Amino acid sequence: MRVVSGIQPTGQPHLGNYLGAIRNYVKLQDEAVAAGGECLIFLADLHAISMPHDPKELRASTLELVATLVACGVDPSKAILFNQAQVPAHAELQWLLNGTARMGWLNRMTQFKDKSGKNREGASVALFTYPVLQAADVLLYQATHVPVGEDQKQHLELARDIAQKFNNDFASEDNPVFTLPDPIIPPEAARIMSLRDGSAKMSKSDASDMSRINLADDADTMAKKIKKAKTDPEPLPSELKGLEDRPEALNLVSIYAALAETSVDAVLADHGGQGFGAFKPALADLLVARLGPIRNRFVELKEDRESLDAILARGAAQAREIGIPTLKAAYDAMGLIRG
Ligand code: TRP
């Protein structure tokens, strides 16, 4: 079992990132270690340059995300935690895979269409070839399991297509260069929605800070954001059915369920009949209880640049080592002489 996943260091990490991705990393790191495998978690800083960015902010976000991941429970003695920029093999392998990936495949990627929008001509080339770098990220390590959100499934399928074509073109069936990775989309990857609009995902790019709970928010701010969250005047139903057409109410109950590690039905069985005047304070208390300790660790670690640098350096050294045989096999298979 080799788990590999990346997360982009852009913007402030929020509750949606925690419940949808980061918490799952912590579970997988423990599972991988128990199975005698490895778990590699990296900061996709090379992906972050596919959109216009400010260098100072990228550096700060990268360090903050390391602090966040560790504060959330990613343990550098169990998982290999690093940033792409310190492992040149990612960029090298991407170039090799650019020979295998087809224009037609990349043209079908919905993320490129979404992110380039009406300005395709002005989009960076990196945004277009982004999925090839993502393929290199996982193929370099012979990943077997790749935890991703629903929105990244298409990129994972592309990674499989690239691996398959490369193996076909340059390797033999019984001695493939790359392993075909399987995506794992966490069942509880509860789509955590904006606190201001139950139909939009909670997002770091939302202009309103009131729309999301940042992992760096203090207890009072979290409580205030829950108190001000959009709702409707009805009390909570006692069954899920009663939340149809009530996206904001469903979102708050889903957040509660995810934090309590239980089901929406179980939350409604307990809180059905309550109005938001009673439910919101209960949710705020739970939120602060779960995120408070994470925030405290984050605030402390964020200031400790030496520790953060040391974590990344150690992770990168381990990752470089693991990637050596596959990168060599890819060069060799293509007939590239490296002496
Ligand atoms: N594209 C992913 C995202 O935005 C981040 C990512 C980069 C990634 N490389 C990866 C995820 C490799 C899984 C595996 O969420």
Side-chain angles (χ1 to χ4, degrees):
M1 180 180 194
R2 187 166 284 161
V3 179
V4 178
S5 190
I7 179 164
Q8 280 202 56
T10 46
Q12 283 204 43
H14 56 71
L15 182 66
N17 304 130
Y18 175 63
L19 294 174
I22 303 176
R23 194 171 64 166
N24 195 41
Y25 289 167
V26 178
K27 284 193 193 129
L28 286 167
Q29 113 195 325
D30 294 334
E31 275 174 43
V33 169
E38 292 85 21
C39 177
L40 293 93
I41 306 290
F42 61 88
L43 294 102
D45 48 6
L46 295 181
H47 278 106
I49 65 166
S50 61
M51 294 293 271
H53 80 283
D54 176 64
K56 248 214 257 80
E57 271 171 31
L58 177 57
R59 197 172 297 123
S61 301
T62 302
L63 294 167
E64 277 189 13
L65 187 51
V66 182
T68 302
L69 290 168
V70 175
C72 289
V74 173
D75 178 349
S77 70
K78 292 183 185 163
I80 299 175
L81 178 57
F82 65 102
N83 60 315
Q84 282 168 325
Q86 292 198 54
V87 185
H90 288 246
E92 271 184 87
L93 184 59
Q94 180 193 17
W95 181 255
L96 303 189
L97 298 180
N98 276 338
T100 296
R102 307 287 92 186
M103 290 292 288
W105 299 354
L106 293 182
N107 271 328
R108 284 197 284 278
M109 296 293 116
T110 57
Q111 180 181 281
F112 175 74
K113 290 183 207 173
D114 291 345
K115 287 199 179 171
S116 60
K118 289 198 186 70
N119 187 21
R120 275 185 73 145
E121 294 293 308
S124 73
V125 172
L127 189 63
F128 188 69
T129 61
Y130 177 119
V132 186
L133 178 60
Q134 187 162 346
D137 293 338
V138 297
L139 300 181
L140 177 63
Y141 302 111
Q142 308 284 346
T144 55
H145 299 74
V146 182
V148 282
E150 192 65 41
D151 63 332
Q152 294 296 313
K153 227 172 120 182
Q154 196 186 30
H155 288 166
L156 246 286
E157 275 156 22
L158 182 90
R160 292 174 63 93
D161 290 343
I162 291 175
Q164 190 133 45
K165 179 166 167 54
F166 188 102
N167 287 341
N168 264 332
D169 291 351
F170 302 117
S172 64
E173 213 164 298
D174 35 281
N175 197 13
V177 173
F178 296 122
T179 304
L180 269 52
D182 281 317
I184 24 179
I185 302 184
E188 75 279 17
R191 276 171 61 91
I192 304 299
M193 311 307 276
S194 157
L195 300 178
R196 314 295 304 167
D197 173 1
S199 67
K201 235 172 127 169
M202 185 176 285
S203 159
K204 50 200 164 199
S205 51
D206 194 313
S208 165
D209 194 59
M210 293 302 284
S211 71
R212 62 186 159 261
I213 304 286
N214 301 306
L215 295 182
D217 286 342
D218 61 27
D220 288 349
T221 308
M222 286 185 194
K224 189 178 86 193
K225 286 178 174 178
I226 293 297
K227 194 167 164 214
K228 297 241 161 109
K230 186 174 167 198
T231 43
D232 54 43
E234 303 296 317
L236 286 176
S238 42
E239 283 173 23
L240 182 57
K241 225 172 48 248
L243 288 176
E244 267 172 36
D245 302 320
R246 297 177 63 188
E248 283 82 18
L250 174 62
N251 187 35
L252 293 187
V253 176
S254 301
I255 292 174
Y256 192 106
L259 288 168
E261 301 197 58
T262 180
S263 66
V264 167
D265 279 317
V267 177
L268 291 177
D270 282 351
H271 295 269
Q274 263 180 9
F276 284 99
F279 184 68
K280 279 180 166 181
L283 174 57
D285 285 349
L286 179 61
L287 189 66
V288 168
R290 289 293 147 93
L291 294 191
I294 291 178
R295 179 184 180 269
N296 294 343
R297 282 196 295 272
F298 165 75
V299 170
E300 202 177 301
L301 197 53
K302 168 172 91 124
E303 301 307 327
D304 187 354
R305 178 70 193 263
E306 220 173 290
S307 296
L308 297 175
D309 284 340
I311 289 169
L312 289 178
R314 172 160 176 253
Q318 291 173 296
R320 282 196 294 265
E321 197 62 34
I322 298 179
I324 289 172
T326 302
L327 186 66
K328 180 178 186 322
Y331 272 107
D332 285 348
M334 297 182 85
L336 295 159
I337 299 166
R338 286 210 302 170

mmCIF file of all heavy atoms in Angstrom, residues 158-202:
data_model
loop_
_atom_site.group_PDB
_atom_site.id
_atom_site.type_symbol
_atom_site.label_atom_id
_atom_site.label_comp_id
_atom_site.label_asym_id
_atom_site.label_seq_id
_atom_site.Cartn_x
_atom_site.Cartn_y
_atom_site.Cartn_z
ATOM 1 N N LEU A 158 -6.797 10.402 -15.912
ATOM 2 C CA LEU A 158 -5.767 10.773 -16.890
ATOM 3 C C LEU A 158 -4.416 10.156 -16.503
ATOM 4 O O LEU A 158 -3.683 9.661 -17.365
ATOM 5 C CB LEU A 158 -5.643 12.300 -16.976
ATOM 6 C CG LEU A 158 -4.621 12.726 -18.020
ATOM 7 C CD1 LEU A 158 -5.287 12.912 -19.378
ATOM 8 C CD2 LEU A 158 -3.898 13.988 -17.627
ATOM 9 N N ALA A 159 -4.105 10.179 -15.219
ATOM 10 C CA ALA A 159 -2.824 9.588 -14.765
ATOM 11 C C ALA A 159 -2.787 8.106 -15.126
ATOM 12 O O ALA A 159 -1.751 7.585 -15.564
ATOM 13 C CB ALA A 159 -2.657 9.785 -13.258
ATOM 14 N N ARG A 160 -3.909 7.443 -14.971
ATOM 15 C CA ARG A 160 -3.972 6.014 -15.342
ATOM 16 C C ARG A 160 -3.783 5.841 -16.849
ATOM 17 O O ARG A 160 -3.074 4.934 -17.291
ATOM 18 C CB ARG A 160 -5.318 5.410 -14.924
ATOM 19 C CG ARG A 160 -5.489 5.304 -13.411
ATOM 20 C CD ARG A 160 -6.900 4.830 -13.081
ATOM 21 N NE ARG A 160 -7.160 3.496 -13.607
ATOM 22 C CZ ARG A 160 -6.969 2.373 -12.911
ATOM 23 N NH1 ARG A 160 -6.520 2.435 -11.673
ATOM 24 N NH2 ARG A 160 -7.220 1.205 -13.452
ATOM 25 N N ASP A 161 -4.424 6.698 -17.632
ATOM 26 C CA ASP A 161 -4.287 6.613 -19.098
ATOM 27 C C ASP A 161 -2.832 6.833 -19.521
ATOM 28 O O ASP A 161 -2.320 6.145 -20.402
ATOM 29 C CB ASP A 161 -5.185 7.652 -19.792
ATOM 30 C CG ASP A 161 -6.664 7.302 -19.666
ATOM 31 O OD1 ASP A 161 -6.977 6.141 -19.348
ATOM 32 O OD2 ASP A 161 -7.509 8.204 -19.878
ATOM 33 N N ILE A 162 -2.190 7.819 -18.898
ATOM 34 C CA ILE A 162 -0.790 8.104 -19.235
ATOM 35 C C ILE A 162 0.082 6.897 -18.869
ATOM 36 O O ILE A 162 0.926 6.457 -19.657
ATOM 37 C CB ILE A 162 -0.301 9.383 -18.510
ATOM 38 C CG1 ILE A 162 -1.010 10.629 -19.079
ATOM 39 C CG2 ILE A 162 1.219 9.534 -18.629
ATOM 40 C CD1 ILE A 162 -0.678 11.930 -18.354
ATOM 41 N N ALA A 163 -0.140 6.354 -17.671
ATOM 42 C CA ALA A 163 0.660 5.203 -17.221
ATOM 43 C C ALA A 163 0.483 4.032 -18.186
ATOM 44 O O ALA A 163 1.459 3.392 -18.600
ATOM 45 C CB ALA A 163 0.239 4.802 -15.805
ATOM 46 N N GLN A 164 -0.762 3.801 -18.561
ATOM 47 C CA GLN A 164 -1.057 2.668 -19.439
ATOM 48 C C GLN A 164 -0.402 2.834 -20.810
ATOM 49 O O GLN A 164 0.214 1.907 -21.333
ATOM 50 C CB GLN A 164 -2.574 2.573 -19.611
ATOM 51 C CG GLN A 164 -3.018 1.314 -20.307
ATOM 52 C CD GLN A 164 -4.185 0.698 -19.542
ATOM 53 O OE1 GLN A 164 -5.122 1.404 -19.136
ATOM 54 N NE2 GLN A 164 -4.113 -0.591 -19.312
ATOM 55 N N LYS A 165 -0.524 4.027 -21.369
ATOM 56 C CA LYS A 165 0.057 4.253 -22.699
ATOM 57 C C LYS A 165 1.586 4.166 -22.643
ATOM 58 O O LYS A 165 2.222 3.596 -23.524
ATOM 59 C CB LYS A 165 -0.394 5.610 -23.268
ATOM 60 C CG LYS A 165 0.200 5.908 -24.657
ATOM 61 C CD LYS A 165 -0.516 7.066 -25.348
ATOM 62 C CE LYS A 165 0.265 7.574 -26.567
ATOM 63 N NZ LYS A 165 0.597 6.515 -27.546
ATOM 64 N N PHE A 166 2.164 4.745 -21.568
ATOM 65 C CA PHE A 166 3.627 4.688 -21.432
ATOM 66 C C PHE A 166 4.083 3.223 -21.337
ATOM 67 O O PHE A 166 5.020 2.802 -22.018
ATOM 68 C CB PHE A 166 4.074 5.479 -20.197
ATOM 69 C CG PHE A 166 5.568 5.624 -20.084
ATOM 70 C CD1 PHE A 166 6.194 6.816 -20.446
ATOM 71 C CD2 PHE A 166 6.370 4.577 -19.618
ATOM 72 C CE1 PHE A 166 7.581 6.956 -20.347
ATOM 73 C CE2 PHE A 166 7.749 4.706 -19.516
ATOM 74 C CZ PHE A 166 8.357 5.900 -19.889
ATOM 75 N N ASN A 167 3.402 2.457 -20.476
ATOM 76 C CA ASN A 167 3.767 1.045 -20.321
ATOM 77 C C ASN A 167 3.647 0.297 -21.654
ATOM 78 O O ASN A 167 4.504 -0.505 -22.005
ATOM 79 C CB ASN A 167 2.874 0.362 -19.277
ATOM 80 C CG ASN A 167 3.208 0.794 -17.848
ATOM 81 O OD1 ASN A 167 4.303 1.309 -17.593
ATOM 82 N ND2 ASN A 167 2.278 0.606 -16.930
ATOM 83 N N ASN A 168 2.558 0.593 -22.376
ATOM 84 C CA ASN A 168 2.342 -0.037 -23.685
ATOM 85 C C ASN A 168 3.427 0.302 -24.688
ATOM 86 O O ASN A 168 3.915 -0.543 -25.417
ATOM 87 C CB ASN A 168 1.042 0.489 -24.302
ATOM 88 C CG ASN A 168 -0.103 -0.434 -24.034
ATOM 89 O OD1 ASN A 168 0.104 -1.634 -23.877
ATOM 90 N ND2 ASN A 168 -1.297 0.126 -23.959
ATOM 91 N N ASP A 169 3.760 1.598 -24.731
ATOM 92 C CA ASP A 169 4.687 2.078 -25.753
ATOM 93 C C ASP A 169 6.134 1.707 -25.439
ATOM 94 O O ASP A 169 6.926 1.488 -26.350
ATOM 95 C CB ASP A 169 4.594 3.616 -25.886
ATOM 96 C CG ASP A 169 3.268 4.071 -26.490
ATOM 97 O OD1 ASP A 169 2.497 3.197 -26.952
ATOM 98 O OD2 ASP A 169 2.997 5.290 -26.490
ATOM 99 N N PHE A 170 6.486 1.721 -24.161
ATOM 100 C CA PHE A 170 7.916 1.640 -23.809
ATOM 101 C C PHE A 170 8.299 0.493 -22.888
ATOM 102 O O PHE A 170 9.466 0.355 -22.530
ATOM 103 C CB PHE A 170 8.363 2.952 -23.155
ATOM 104 C CG PHE A 170 8.146 4.161 -24.017
ATOM 105 C CD1 PHE A 170 7.284 5.180 -23.626
ATOM 106 C CD2 PHE A 170 8.788 4.281 -25.257
ATOM 107 C CE1 PHE A 170 7.085 6.300 -24.422
ATOM 108 C CE2 PHE A 170 8.584 5.395 -26.062
ATOM 109 C CZ PHE A 170 7.733 6.408 -25.654
ATOM 110 N N ALA A 171 7.331 -0.295 -22.418
ATOM 111 C CA ALA A 171 7.680 -1.367 -21.487
ATOM 112 C C ALA A 171 6.943 -2.639 -21.887
ATOM 113 O O ALA A 171 6.118 -2.608 -22.794
ATOM 114 C CB ALA A 171 7.312 -0.964 -20.061
ATOM 115 N N SER A 172 7.245 -3.723 -21.201
ATOM 116 C CA SER A 172 6.537 -4.961 -21.510
ATOM 117 C C SER A 172 5.486 -5.193 -20.433
ATOM 118 O O SER A 172 5.570 -4.652 -19.333
ATOM 119 C CB SER A 172 7.515 -6.132 -21.549
ATOM 120 O OG SER A 172 8.066 -6.300 -20.262
ATOM 121 N N GLU A 173 4.509 -6.006 -20.794
ATOM 122 C CA GLU A 173 3.378 -6.210 -19.883
ATOM 123 C C GLU A 173 3.825 -6.767 -18.531
ATOM 124 O O GLU A 173 3.289 -6.385 -17.492
ATOM 125 C CB GLU A 173 2.369 -7.146 -20.534
ATOM 126 C CG GLU A 173 0.939 -6.833 -20.156
ATOM 127 C CD GLU A 173 -0.031 -7.514 -21.112
ATOM 128 O OE1 GLU A 173 -0.005 -7.204 -22.325
ATOM 129 O OE2 GLU A 173 -0.771 -8.379 -20.638
ATOM 130 N N ASP A 174 4.797 -7.681 -18.560
ATOM 131 C CA ASP A 174 5.199 -8.265 -17.276
ATOM 132 C C ASP A 174 6.261 -7.440 -16.557
ATOM 133 O O ASP A 174 6.669 -7.779 -15.461
ATOM 134 C CB ASP A 174 5.653 -9.732 -17.451
ATOM 135 C CG ASP A 174 6.355 -9.935 -18.777
ATOM 136 O OD1 ASP A 174 5.635 -10.051 -19.794
ATOM 137 O OD2 ASP A 174 7.606 -9.918 -18.806
ATOM 138 N N ASN A 175 6.701 -6.356 -17.197
ATOM 139 C CA ASN A 175 7.655 -5.500 -16.500
ATOM 140 C C ASN A 175 7.324 -4.016 -16.730
ATOM 141 O O ASN A 175 8.102 -3.270 -17.313
ATOM 142 C CB ASN A 175 9.076 -5.826 -16.983
ATOM 143 C CG ASN A 175 10.117 -5.275 -16.029
ATOM 144 O OD1 ASN A 175 9.786 -4.876 -14.901
ATOM 145 N ND2 ASN A 175 11.363 -5.203 -16.473
ATOM 146 N N PRO A 176 6.129 -3.596 -16.265
ATOM 147 C CA PRO A 176 5.699 -2.219 -16.521
ATOM 148 C C PRO A 176 6.558 -1.219 -15.752
ATOM 149 O O PRO A 176 7.128 -1.559 -14.714
ATOM 150 C CB PRO A 176 4.257 -2.188 -16.009
ATOM 151 C CG PRO A 176 4.186 -3.285 -14.996
ATOM 152 C CD PRO A 176 5.175 -4.330 -15.425
ATOM 153 N N VAL A 177 6.671 -0.014 -16.271
ATOM 154 C CA VAL A 177 7.404 1.034 -15.554
ATOM 155 C C VAL A 177 6.527 1.633 -14.454
ATOM 156 O O VAL A 177 6.994 1.923 -13.360
ATOM 157 C CB VAL A 177 7.887 2.131 -16.530
ATOM 158 C CG1 VAL A 177 8.493 3.310 -15.769
ATOM 159 C CG2 VAL A 177 8.906 1.555 -17.517
ATOM 160 N N PHE A 178 5.231 1.811 -14.768
ATOM 161 C CA PHE A 178 4.344 2.502 -13.820
ATOM 162 C C PHE A 178 3.217 1.609 -13.306
ATOM 163 O O PHE A 178 2.687 0.779 -14.040
ATOM 164 C CB PHE A 178 3.720 3.729 -14.495
ATOM 165 C CG PHE A 178 4.720 4.774 -14.890
ATOM 166 C CD1 PHE A 178 4.831 5.179 -16.220
ATOM 167 C CD2 PHE A 178 5.562 5.352 -13.950
ATOM 168 C CE1 PHE A 178 5.752 6.151 -16.594
ATOM 169 C CE2 PHE A 178 6.493 6.323 -14.319
ATOM 170 C CZ PHE A 178 6.588 6.717 -15.642
ATOM 171 N N THR A 179 2.842 1.867 -12.061
ATOM 172 C CA THR A 179 1.664 1.243 -11.455
ATOM 173 C C THR A 179 0.448 2.118 -11.744
ATOM 174 O O THR A 179 0.548 3.351 -11.658
ATOM 175 C CB THR A 179 1.850 1.180 -9.918
ATOM 176 O OG1 THR A 179 3.069 0.491 -9.649
ATOM 177 C CG2 THR A 179 0.691 0.493 -9.231
ATOM 178 N N LEU A 180 -0.676 1.507 -12.069
ATOM 179 C CA LEU A 180 -1.906 2.295 -12.258
ATOM 180 C C LEU A 180 -2.517 2.616 -10.896
ATOM 181 O O LEU A 180 -2.875 1.692 -10.153
ATOM 182 C CB LEU A 180 -2.909 1.517 -13.123
ATOM 183 C CG LEU A 180 -2.832 1.749 -14.632
ATOM 184 C CD1 LEU A 180 -1.438 1.563 -15.183
ATOM 185 C CD2 LEU A 180 -3.847 0.913 -15.375
ATOM 186 N N PRO A 181 -2.602 3.897 -10.548
ATOM 187 C CA PRO A 181 -3.091 4.265 -9.214
ATOM 188 C C PRO A 181 -4.626 4.266 -9.136
ATOM 189 O O PRO A 181 -5.288 4.570 -10.122
ATOM 190 C CB PRO A 181 -2.587 5.702 -9.052
ATOM 191 C CG PRO A 181 -2.520 6.236 -10.458
ATOM 192 C CD PRO A 181 -2.233 5.062 -11.366
ATOM 193 N N ASP A 182 -5.141 3.905 -7.975
ATOM 194 C CA ASP A 182 -6.589 3.983 -7.751
ATOM 195 C C ASP A 182 -6.927 5.215 -6.920
ATOM 196 O O ASP A 182 -6.317 5.436 -5.876
ATOM 197 C CB ASP A 182 -7.083 2.739 -6.986
ATOM 198 C CG ASP A 182 -7.221 1.552 -7.902
ATOM 199 O OD1 ASP A 182 -7.736 1.732 -9.021
ATOM 200 O OD2 ASP A 182 -6.788 0.445 -7.511
ATOM 201 N N PRO A 183 -7.919 5.970 -7.377
ATOM 202 C CA PRO A 183 -8.356 7.102 -6.549
ATOM 203 C C PRO A 183 -9.125 6.588 -5.342
ATOM 204 O O PRO A 183 -9.801 5.565 -5.443
ATOM 205 C CB PRO A 183 -9.315 7.867 -7.477
ATOM 206 C CG PRO A 183 -9.793 6.868 -8.466
ATOM 207 C CD PRO A 183 -8.708 5.832 -8.603
ATOM 208 N N ILE A 184 -8.967 7.222 -4.190
ATOM 209 C CA ILE A 184 -9.921 6.945 -3.110
ATOM 210 C C ILE A 184 -10.596 8.243 -2.731
ATOM 211 O O ILE A 184 -9.950 9.205 -2.336
ATOM 212 C CB ILE A 184 -9.323 6.285 -1.849
ATOM 213 C CG1 ILE A 184 -7.825 6.565 -1.701
ATOM 214 C CG2 ILE A 184 -9.545 4.800 -1.827
ATOM 215 C CD1 ILE A 184 -7.267 5.929 -0.449
ATOM 216 N N ILE A 185 -11.890 8.207 -2.904
ATOM 217 C CA ILE A 185 -12.692 9.395 -2.605
ATOM 218 C C ILE A 185 -13.406 9.105 -1.299
ATOM 219 O O ILE A 185 -14.239 8.215 -1.231
ATOM 220 C CB ILE A 185 -13.659 9.667 -3.762
ATOM 221 C CG1 ILE A 185 -12.790 9.842 -5.004
ATOM 222 C CG2 ILE A 185 -14.546 10.876 -3.464
ATOM 223 C CD1 ILE A 185 -13.454 10.209 -6.254
ATOM 224 N N PRO A 186 -12.997 9.806 -0.223
ATOM 225 C CA PRO A 186 -13.530 9.448 1.093
ATOM 226 C C PRO A 186 -15.053 9.536 1.099
ATOM 227 O O PRO A 186 -15.612 10.522 0.612
ATOM 228 C CB PRO A 186 -12.917 10.500 2.028
ATOM 229 C CG PRO A 186 -12.243 11.500 1.159
ATOM 230 C CD PRO A 186 -12.088 10.934 -0.199
ATOM 231 N N PRO A 187 -15.704 8.486 1.614
ATOM 232 C CA PRO A 187 -17.173 8.466 1.602
ATOM 233 C C PRO A 187 -17.716 9.669 2.366
ATOM 234 O O PRO A 187 -18.723 10.264 1.984
ATOM 235 C CB PRO A 187 -17.531 7.158 2.311
ATOM 236 C CG PRO A 187 -16.277 6.699 2.994
ATOM 237 C CD PRO A 187 -15.122 7.318 2.270
ATOM 238 N N GLU A 188 -17.013 10.026 3.428
ATOM 239 C CA GLU A 188 -17.511 11.137 4.249
ATOM 240 C C GLU A 188 -16.981 12.478 3.743
ATOM 241 O O GLU A 188 -17.120 13.488 4.403
ATOM 242 C CB GLU A 188 -17.153 10.936 5.723
ATOM 243 C CG GLU A 188 -15.717 11.177 6.095
ATOM 244 C CD GLU A 188 -14.811 9.979 5.786
ATOM 245 O OE1 GLU A 188 -15.220 9.089 5.001
ATOM 246 O OE2 GLU A 188 -13.700 9.947 6.328
ATOM 247 N N ALA A 189 -16.373 12.471 2.524
ATOM 248 C CA ALA A 189 -15.897 13.731 1.956
ATOM 249 C C ALA A 189 -17.088 14.659 1.832
ATOM 250 O O ALA A 189 -17.436 15.140 0.753
ATOM 251 C CB ALA A 189 -15.223 13.547 0.619
ATOM 252 N N ALA A 190 -17.721 14.831 2.975
ATOM 253 C CA ALA A 190 -18.878 15.697 3.067
ATOM 254 C C ALA A 190 -18.548 16.972 2.321
ATOM 255 O O ALA A 190 -17.530 17.601 2.596
ATOM 256 C CB ALA A 190 -19.134 15.980 4.536
ATOM 257 N N ARG A 191 -19.352 17.303 1.369
ATOM 258 C CA ARG A 191 -19.140 18.578 0.704
ATOM 259 C C ARG A 191 -19.577 19.661 1.677
ATOM 260 O O ARG A 191 -20.758 19.893 1.879
ATOM 261 C CB ARG A 191 -19.950 18.641 -0.596
ATOM 262 C CG ARG A 191 -19.218 17.988 -1.759
ATOM 263 C CD ARG A 191 -20.125 17.878 -2.954
ATOM 264 N NE ARG A 191 -20.594 19.187 -3.423
ATOM 265 C CZ ARG A 191 -19.966 19.909 -4.346
ATOM 266 N NH1 ARG A 191 -18.855 19.481 -4.890
ATOM 267 N NH2 ARG A 191 -20.467 21.063 -4.738
ATOM 268 N N ILE A 192 -18.619 20.277 2.291
ATOM 269 C CA ILE A 192 -18.928 21.324 3.258
ATOM 270 C C ILE A 192 -19.183 22.612 2.479
ATOM 271 O O ILE A 192 -18.353 23.038 1.685
ATOM 272 C CB ILE A 192 -17.760 21.494 4.251
ATOM 273 C CG1 ILE A 192 -17.437 20.155 4.948
ATOM 274 C CG2 ILE A 192 -18.065 22.579 5.281
ATOM 275 C CD1 ILE A 192 -18.545 19.564 5.767
ATOM 276 N N MET A 193 -20.344 23.191 2.698
ATOM 277 C CA MET A 193 -20.757 24.329 1.887
ATOM 278 C C MET A 193 -20.488 25.653 2.612
ATOM 279 O O MET A 193 -20.224 25.680 3.815
ATOM 280 C CB MET A 193 -22.254 24.220 1.543
ATOM 281 C CG MET A 193 -22.678 22.862 0.996
ATOM 282 S SD MET A 193 -21.699 22.289 -0.414
ATOM 283 C CE MET A 193 -22.533 23.116 -1.733
ATOM 284 N N SER A 194 -20.598 26.727 1.847
ATOM 285 C CA SER A 194 -20.443 28.080 2.390
ATOM 286 C C SER A 194 -21.470 28.334 3.491
ATOM 287 O O SER A 194 -22.608 27.860 3.416
ATOM 288 C CB SER A 194 -20.644 29.077 1.250
ATOM 289 O OG SER A 194 -21.033 30.333 1.761
ATOM 290 N N LEU A 195 -21.086 29.095 4.506
ATOM 291 C CA LEU A 195 -22.024 29.435 5.577
ATOM 292 C C LEU A 195 -23.017 30.511 5.138
ATOM 293 O O LEU A 195 -23.982 30.792 5.832
ATOM 294 C CB LEU A 195 -21.260 29.921 6.820
ATOM 295 C CG LEU A 195 -20.278 28.920 7.442
ATOM 296 C CD1 LEU A 195 -19.554 29.546 8.628
ATOM 297 C CD2 LEU A 195 -21.015 27.645 7.881
ATOM 298 N N ARG A 196 -22.728 31.119 3.990
ATOM 299 C CA ARG A 196 -23.623 32.168 3.485
ATOM 300 C C ARG A 196 -24.522 31.688 2.349
ATOM 301 O O ARG A 196 -25.477 32.372 2.004
ATOM 302 C CB ARG A 196 -22.807 33.380 2.953
ATOM 303 C CG ARG A 196 -21.690 33.866 3.834
ATOM 304 C CD ARG A 196 -22.174 34.427 5.137
ATOM 305 N NE ARG A 196 -23.142 35.500 4.982
ATOM 306 C CZ ARG A 196 -23.892 35.966 5.976
ATOM 307 N NH1 ARG A 196 -23.811 35.430 7.183
ATOM 308 N NH2 ARG A 196 -24.730 36.947 5.761
ATOM 309 N N ASP A 197 -24.181 30.540 1.757
ATOM 310 C CA ASP A 197 -24.927 30.056 0.592
ATOM 311 C C ASP A 197 -24.769 28.535 0.521
ATOM 312 O O ASP A 197 -23.711 28.034 0.179
ATOM 313 C CB ASP A 197 -24.357 30.728 -0.678
ATOM 314 C CG ASP A 197 -24.955 30.158 -1.961
ATOM 315 O OD1 ASP A 197 -25.816 29.253 -1.883
ATOM 316 O OD2 ASP A 197 -24.541 30.615 -3.043
ATOM 317 N N GLY A 198 -25.849 27.858 0.867
ATOM 318 C CA GLY A 198 -25.802 26.394 0.966
ATOM 319 C C GLY A 198 -25.630 25.683 -0.360
ATOM 320 O O GLY A 198 -25.515 24.465 -0.402
ATOM 321 N N SER A 199 -25.569 26.440 -1.472
ATOM 322 C CA SER A 199 -25.394 25.779 -2.764
ATOM 323 C C SER A 199 -23.977 25.954 -3.302
ATOM 324 O O SER A 199 -23.643 25.438 -4.364
ATOM 325 C CB SER A 199 -26.410 26.326 -3.779
ATOM 326 O OG SER A 199 -26.114 27.680 -4.053
ATOM 327 N N ALA A 200 -23.132 26.728 -2.581
ATOM 328 C CA ALA A 200 -21.745 26.930 -3.039
ATOM 329 C C ALA A 200 -20.805 26.240 -2.055
ATOM 330 O O ALA A 200 -21.026 26.264 -0.841
ATOM 331 C CB ALA A 200 -21.414 28.418 -3.100
ATOM 332 N N LYS A 201 -19.752 25.613 -2.589
ATOM 333 C CA LYS A 201 -18.785 24.942 -1.731
ATOM 334 C C LYS A 201 -18.065 25.936 -0.816
ATOM 335 O O LYS A 201 -17.813 27.063 -1.233
ATOM 336 C CB LYS A 201 -17.742 24.272 -2.624
ATOM 337 C CG LYS A 201 -17.580 22.784 -2.377
ATOM 338 C CD LYS A 201 -16.684 22.179 -3.416
ATOM 339 C CE LYS A 201 -15.573 21.407 -2.766
ATOM 340 N NZ LYS A 201 -14.816 20.590 -3.711
ATOM 341 N N MET A 202 -17.744 25.540 0.408
ATOM 342 C CA MET A 202 -16.913 26.397 1.264
ATOM 343 C C MET A 202 -15.571 26.544 0.566
ATOM 344 O O MET A 202 -14.952 25.545 0.197
ATOM 345 C CB MET A 202 -16.726 25.782 2.649
ATOM 346 C CG MET A 202 -15.968 26.680 3.607
ATOM 347 S SD MET A 202 -15.812 26.028 5.297
ATOM 348 C CE MET A 202 -17.456 26.280 5.956
#
